[in-house]
Amino acid sequence: MGEVNCEGRSTQEINAEIKQQIKKGATEILVRNPGARHNLGVAILERVTIRLDGSVGYYCGGLIDGPNFEIAGSAGWGLAESMMNGQVVVRGSAGNGAAAAIRGGTVVIQQDAAARLGVSMKGGTVLVAGNCGYMAGFMGQKGTIIVCGNAGEAFADSMYETVCFVGGRISELGTDAVVEQPSGSDAEFLDSTLAHHLPPDLRKSKPAGRDFKKIVSGRKLWNFDKREWKTWQEAL
Amino acid sequence: MSDELQRQGRTLQPSGIFQPAVIEDIQTKAETGLYRIRGFGTLRQRRWATFDDLTFLPCSLTRIPLEGYREKCSTATVLGKRHASKPIRLDIPVMITGMSWGALSYNAKVALARGASAVGSSNTTGDGGMLQAERENSKTLIYEVLPSRYGINVHDMRRADAIELTIGQGAKPGTGGLLLGSKVSDTIARQRDLPVGVDQRSPARHPDFLGPDDMIIKIEELREATDYQVPIFVKMGASRVFDDVKLAAKAGADVIVVDGMEGGTGASPAILQEHTGIPTLAAVCEARAALEDCGLYGEVQLIIAGGIRDGVDAAKAMALGADAVYIGTAALIALNCNKALYVDDYQKLGTEPGFCHHCHTGRCPVGVTTQDPELMQRLDIDQAAERIASFLRVMTLEVQMLARACGKSDVHDLEPEDMAALSLEASAICGIPLSGTRKIFGI
């Protein structure tokens, strides 16, 4: 396993070292003492596992395509933003805009996610074991958001085809968000996804798949229509 | 109608407030229940100071001109020298602005790329990501990163020659893009990960940063993603330009693009096009003052956009402080926008050649702003690319002509002292003496 120690080094030096080790054939890299630095592991495009043994700052795993990230601590804003493929697991919590605009892959946050989780998602899956903040799923285009705990206000606002599941309470649905009865296959999907991505002890404390609420777009904002003017007034 | 009334000896007095156009607007809103949407940009008669309120002061005895048709006058333009290891090097200072594949047809995008490359200029992607043919046909391609992140793709980003982090655009600062359902075809929907036929309304805010403090880190992320090689542009619609430019410069931008209120759009609520932002002339002056104020004028390059029509506008913008200009609407007009071809189709849209601003409908009669395969075929890529190349060449020759007349051997040496103001407003905005007075008004 390769190793990179962040102490005393700039982000540019750390990322260059990570990429150098990947070039040399490393398939697993331990990044020690990340110290909540921003932009760690940005634009990694290879199938490699990168373990960070602490907390990370903004945009960790941003613009990646393929790697697995395991973050022992918490993450700042824009975790894995615009990811195309791969997996990013955070043992702690994540800041604003986690998984924003991702096109594929999986983001797992084992504690809580702040505001704007999965904003403008275009694919992929985001799983939050805890709660999420304001405006999660805003303008979600595709992909799946799973929140095992409670969801904040304006949840799933102005979505296209992203599908959301919430195990706890929803403070307030966003504009054009509607609650739909989950199907049997939805419950199976949730059970298998949670079992696959959460440690067994953590999984045990979360609701069963059949107990999640399903939230989708009401599609009233998809096209301008004067009959929906009240919805538009709220949306605009 | 009015001619007929005059023949009959009748005089009708319209309301100064509720003029016929206002009456039509109110009644349309009352009938449809929707605000007005259209493309093109502001349609208002310009009563504010514009580049037309400035005139060049060519050499006579106080300064010596260059031979207008012969002596060398450099147009080489370098952008992004501040941090990037590979700044953009262009042969001319006139560039093609970001316009999306979706707003524009495939043929239009490829023609712009090919035409710009033919004269050593650049092309820019748009809201919707990079088109493969656009990359293949662009010698220099700028990759826009917009709030929507439609089509965002790190591999495309890494194939670009510069990254443009777009905060807003001049036609509608503070608001996201708009692409009506008629243009969200199967192909465009797939490219943007959207359902076919939706009225796509892009977000105004980026999903992963909000203010200038966060943007510092975002810019660093983009540098990491592109190995610190390519310049990072920050583009904004012109509103609080002085403060915004300072914030962008301090956030680490290599190049700042300021898009004035005369900038065009493929679709937008009409009121935003008419009543938001500040004019391009004012914007360039504020942007230069901002860079000077923070000691970064010359280190951070400035691109001005918004209603640039010809080499004269470009030269005036450069004299006021721009390193280069973007053109958008003018480039589309060079492609054939508003040309008197397929007149019946203009009339079906309720308009005429020369008056069309119906880009939002997707029924562009000349194949520029459409996704309809039949309409698109009306734009021959090779011929259109040649027109773009020709237009860019002529614009460049016009800039050179004015620069030589002012005694400059490099178009970037044009300066405010090369001009006089023709109105009090222009004098006050630009800090240039009003012609015939030797006074700068407003100081």
Side-chain angles (χ1 to χ4, degrees):
Chain A
M1 179 190 289
E3 189 171 312
V4 176
N5 190 342
C6 298
E7 275 191 341
R9 305 171 82 178
S10 69
T11 301
Q12 189 177 358
E13 291 168 338
I14 296 162
N15 284 340
E17 176 68 19
I18 291 171
K19 288 176 181 174
Q20 188 62 30
Q21 294 203 13
I22 294 171
K23 212 177 215 176
K24 286 180 180 170
T27 55
E28 287 187 41
I29 298 168
L30 176 64
V31 179
R32 291 200 180 281
N33 306 305
R37 280 175 177 75
H38 304 309
N39 293 319
L40 291 174
V42 164
I44 302 292
L45 307 174
E46 294 82 10
R47 294 193 177 278
V48 58
T49 296
I50 296 174
R51 297 193 172 90
L52 298 110
D53 76 356
S55 291
V56 296
Y58 281 39
Y59 308 126
C60 180
L63 293 159
I64 58 173
D65 188 7
N68 291 324
F69 277 65
E70 295 175 16
I71 300 163
S74 290
W77 284 29
L79 172 74
E81 67 88 11
S82 302
M83 171 171 69
M84 297 184 73
N85 207 348
Q87 180 172 290
V88 176
V89 178
V90 182
R91 307 275 178 236
S93 295
N96 180 65
I102 65 170
R103 299 188 70 176
T106 304
V107 175
V108 179
I109 299 162
Q110 294 189 355
Q111 293 184 20
D112 299 323
R116 297 162 62 80
L117 168 77
V119 173
S120 292
M121 274 177 68
K122 292 139 189 22
T125 301
V126 186
L127 168 58
V128 179
N131 306 315
C132 74
Y134 173 74
M135 222 173 195
F138 174 67
M139 291 191 74
Q141 297 168 229
K142 286 180 180 168
T144 307
I145 296 176
I146 304 168
V147 179
C148 298
N150 300 326
E153 294 172 338
F155 185 73
D157 194 296
S158 303
M159 290 199 308
Y160 292 105
E161 292 178 310
T162 295
V163 177
C164 303
F165 297 97
V166 177
R169 185 173 52 83
I170 300 170
S171 294
E172 177 201 56
L173 285 174
T175 305
D176 201 26
V178 296
V179 178
E180 196 175 81
Q181 188 63 35
S183 65
S185 61
D186 288 332
E188 283 174 23
F189 162 74
L190 288 164
D191 285 329
S192 67
T193 304
L194 267 59
H196 181 70
H197 289 293
L198 297 183
D201 285 353
L202 190 56
R203 170 67 189 100
K204 275 184 208 165
S205 63
K206 304 303 168 192
R210 64 178 178 277
D211 295 329
F212 276 74
K213 301 173 192 70
K214 183 179 184 181
I215 300 92
V216 297
S217 169
R219 303 185 176 201
K220 290 181 179 175
L221 290 176
W222 284 22
N223 292 93
F224 291 99
D225 185 339
K226 68 178 177 182
R227 290 167 299 185
E228 304 294 347
W229 75 270
K230 191 166 175 56
T231 308
W232 278 97
Q233 190 181 32
E234 287 171 6
L236 299 175
Chain B
M1 179 62 137
S2 59
D3 290 346
E4 177 60 26
L5 290 171
Q6 279 182 355
R7 274 196 292 276
Q8 293 173 9
R10 297 169 62 194
T11 303
L12 298 182
Q13 179 66 47
S15 165
I17 302 167
F18 295 99
Q19 295 171 355
V22 175
I23 290 170
E24 188 270 339
D25 186 53
I26 290 171
Q27 291 174 346
T28 299
K29 289 171 182 170
E31 285 164 17
T32 64
L34 298 170
Y35 50 73
R36 312 295 292 268
I37 291 173
R38 59 171 174 75
F40 208 68
T42 178
L43 302 179
R44 292 164 74 183
Q45 292 301 311
R46 295 201 289 179
R47 292 184 184 139
W48 54 87
T50 72
F51 290 119
D52 290 342
D53 290 289
L54 298 172
T55 187
F56 279 101
L57 301 175
C59 304
S60 53
L61 287 177
T62 53
R63 295 185 181 194
I64 311 301
L66 271 68
E67 286 296 340
Y69 307 111
R70 295 172 187 83
E71 281 193 86
K72 281 186 182 174
C73 178
S74 174
T75 58
T77 301
V78 182
L79 301 168
K81 295 177 282 189
R82 188 183 187 191
H83 296 298
S85 63
K86 292 181 180 172
I88 282 183
R89 296 180 188 281
L90 305 173
D91 294 339
I92 64 172
V94 185
M95 310 157 73
I96 305 294
T97 193
M99 292 176 280
S100 77
W101 176 42
L104 303 193
S105 67
Y106 174 96
N107 292 21
K109 285 297 281 180
V110 177
L112 288 171
R114 205 175 286 177
S117 296
V119 292
S121 180
S122 66
N123 184 37
T124 310
T125 58
D127 203 0
M130 185 188 287
L131 187 58
Q132 176 65 20
E134 188 175 32
R135 175 65 277 185
E136 289 167 359
N137 284 278
S138 295
K139 183 179 169 195
T140 302
L141 182 59
I142 300 161
Y143 185 79
E144 268 197 291
V145 176
L146 293 115
S148 70
R149 308 286 168 86
Y150 292 133
I152 186 85
N153 182 318
V154 64
H155 302 283
D156 289 343
M157 183 182 286
R158 289 171 60 82
R159 293 193 296 158
D161 301 294
I163 308 298
E164 186 169 278
L165 186 59
T166 299
I167 309 301
Q169 71 179 94
K172 47 186 173 185
T175 311
L178 186 61
L179 190 71
L180 295 185
S182 57
K183 295 173 87 168
V184 183
S185 64
D186 290 353
T187 313
I188 296 302
R190 195 163 48 250
Q191 169 76 3
R192 300 188 182 206
D193 298 297
L194 287 168
V196 175
V198 297
D199 292 326
Q200 170 239 292
R201 297 160 296 122
S202 304
R205 290 194 300 260
H206 279 270
D208 52 0
F209 74 94
L210 296 174
D213 294 342
D214 312 326
M215 194 171 79
I216 295 170
I217 309 167
K218 184 72 195 173
I219 289 173
E220 286 174 4
E221 186 204 19
L222 297 173
R223 290 196 197 287
E224 286 288 340
T226 52
D227 302 326
Y228 290 81
Q229 292 188 344
V230 305
I232 309 295
F233 294 16
V234 172
K235 178 183 177 181
M236 60 187 72
S239 53
R240 294 175 180 85
V241 176
F242 185 77
D243 295 326
D244 289 341
V245 166
K246 282 172 66 173
L247 289 168
K250 289 187 173 180
D254 296 305
V255 177
I256 294 174
V257 182
V258 180
D259 191 11
M261 65 177 268
E262 293 99 320
T265 175
S268 166
I271 59 162
L272 298 179
Q273 294 175 63
E274 303 298 4
H275 300 288
T276 62
I278 68 168
T280 304
L281 179 73
V284 62
C285 296
E286 284 208 49
R288 177 183 179 143
L291 290 174
E292 287 175 338
D293 195 62
C294 57
L296 291 171
Y297 181 67
E299 187 174 340
V300 173
Q301 280 78 55
L302 181 63
I303 299 175
I304 289 298
I308 303 287
R309 301 162 296 182
D310 51 24
V312 181
D313 285 350
K316 289 175 179 174
M318 293 176 71
L320 290 170
D323 293 278
V325 299
Y326 270 160
I327 59 167
T329 305
L332 301 190
I333 292 170
L335 284 178
N336 266 355
C337 164
N338 269 293
K339 189 159 187 170
L341 301 168
Y342 312 102
V343 175
D344 287 353
D345 287 337
Y346 284 99
Q347 290 168 347
K348 282 179 196 165
L349 289 168
T351 187
E352 297 286 343
F355 298 87
C356 185
H357 46 257
H358 295 55
C359 330
H360 62 294
T361 65
R363 302 302 304 161
C364 176
V366 291
V368 174
T369 60
T370 181
Q371 298 305 317
D372 182 291
E374 284 184 26
L375 294 175
M376 200 190 309
Q377 290 312 310
R378 295 178 178 180
L379 188 70
D380 180 276
I381 293 176
D382 289 338
Q383 291 174 8
E386 185 50 44
R387 286 197 297 277
I388 288 296
S390 296
F391 181 61
L392 288 171
R393 282 191 198 102
V394 172
M395 277 191 73
T396 304
L397 290 171
E398 289 172 342
V399 177
Q400 285 178 299
M401 194 181 301
L402 291 165
R404 288 192 188 102
C406 293
K408 310 296 197 227
S409 59
D410 188 317
V411 293
H412 297 94
D413 292 339
L414 284 165
E415 55 193 333
E417 289 73 14
D418 290 320
M419 297 187 291
L422 299 172
S423 69
L424 289 171
E425 290 89 345
S427 175
I429 291 167
C430 303
I432 289 176
L434 181 67
S435 57
T437 69
R438 281 176 287 151
K439 284 182 187 169
I440 299 172
F441 286 80
I443 293 180

